[in-house]
Every structure is written in structure tokens, then in C-alpha cells.
Amino acid sequence: LTDAAGQPANCGIELQVSESAGGGGSEALGNASALRVRVLSATSLINKDTGLFGDVSDPFVRVRLGRQEFKTPTISNNLHPSWDTGNEFTFKVGEHDSDLELEVFNENYVRHDSLGSTTVALWTLPPEEWIRRRDPLKDGAEGQLEFE
């Protein structure tokens, strides 16, 4: 994958907007629209850990739409993580929901440090179609997030 400038992308996310949740194996959401998100990977993340003895950031991704929030599993000591389990989420899209927020964090015992974030405007997504994206992370240096 490449970014808008034709450079290799650092992150991936796949997105699918459904007009209703009746198909595709999603749980029933009534007449509401559904948004399915699959977090795939991140690259070139900032190291917020000490770096001593190979200790680097322990990333996870928080995905938020309105008041709904999900989180991927944490991957220890990895600045280029890939997720293949616990990485697919279904959101009920309300009439006031406008932006999908994705933020990568470094997991710590006391406080999680942000490694960068990206936002997707829902109106830009075509219905009933998976879209794979690789977005640069705001405040994440060279970090990118790939998702569908």
C-alpha cells in the first residue's frame, strides 16, 4: 500500500459501512446503520519506552465512534505491530455520529501514552464496501495506521 504521495504506507485499517446490519454476520442492530472496522497494522511508531534491553513501545489501538469504544489487544515491544485477532469491531452508527477516531497508545501501568491518531469522516465512506486505508498518525512522527 502507498499513501497519497506514493510512499509506502505505515498503517492499515479496513472500513465497511452497512445500511443495515442484517447481513454479513453482524449482530442485529435494528434499523440503524453499522460500521465495521478492522485494525490491521501500524508502522514506524514512536518509541515511548526506555529502549533499555530492547524495551520499546507496547502498542494498542483505541477505536471510537461517539460514545462507543473498542480496543485491540496490546502487542508487546513492537514499533511495527500487526493485529490478526481481537481487531474487528462493529459500531452502531447514530444520527449524530460523524467521525471515527483511531488512536494508537503505548500501554503502561500508570498512564497510556499516545503514539498518534487519525480521524475518518463517515460521510467519505461508501456504503456496503470495504475500504482499506493507510493513514499517517497525527502527532505520531512517521507513524502510520492501516485499517479496513
Side-chain angles (χ1 to χ4, degrees):
L1 293 174
T2 58
D3 63 15
Q7 299 299 312
N10 291 335
C11 302
I13 298 175
E14 295 179 3
L15 303 169
Q16 182 181 34
V17 179
S18 301
E19 291 303 319
S20 67
S26 298
E27 56 271 12
L29 298 175
N31 291 329
S33 293
L35 173 67
R36 292 176 52 198
V37 178
R38 185 179 305 137
V39 178
L40 302 174
S41 64
T43 59
S44 302
L45 295 175
I46 298 169
N47 184 19
K48 292 274 183 130
D49 282 346
T50 64
L52 296 174
F53 309 108
D55 182 33
V56 296
S57 292
D58 307 311
F60 69 90
V61 179
R62 182 187 69 200
V63 187
R64 182 185 295 170
L65 180 67
R67 294 183 181 185
Q68 302 166 83
E69 182 175 298
F70 295 99
K71 155 185 175 327
T72 65
T74 299
I75 298 180
S76 298
N77 294 316
N78 198 324
L79 300 178
H80 308 280
S82 293
W83 289 271
D84 56 9
T85 60
N87 63 327
E88 188 167 336
F89 314 110
T90 301
F91 292 92
K92 182 177 180 179
V93 180
E95 63 183 58
H96 299 292
D97 293 325
S98 59
D99 294 317
L100 176 70
E101 302 168 5
L102 301 106
E103 187 165 7
V104 183
F105 286 93
N106 175 40
E107 185 172 272
N108 291 308
Y109 291 110
V110 178
R111 194 188 113 202
H112 305 312
D113 301 315
S114 178
L115 301 177
S117 63
T118 188
T119 302
V120 178
L122 296 185
W123 66 268
T124 65
L125 303 173
E128 301 293 335
E129 184 178 327
W130 278 105
I131 302 295
R132 183 174 287 207
R133 294 179 56 140
R134 186 176 296 238
D135 288 6
L137 295 173
K138 180 180 178 189
D139 298 325
E142 299 296 318
Q144 293 185 352
L145 183 64
E146 184 175 359
F147 54 99
E148 298 180 313

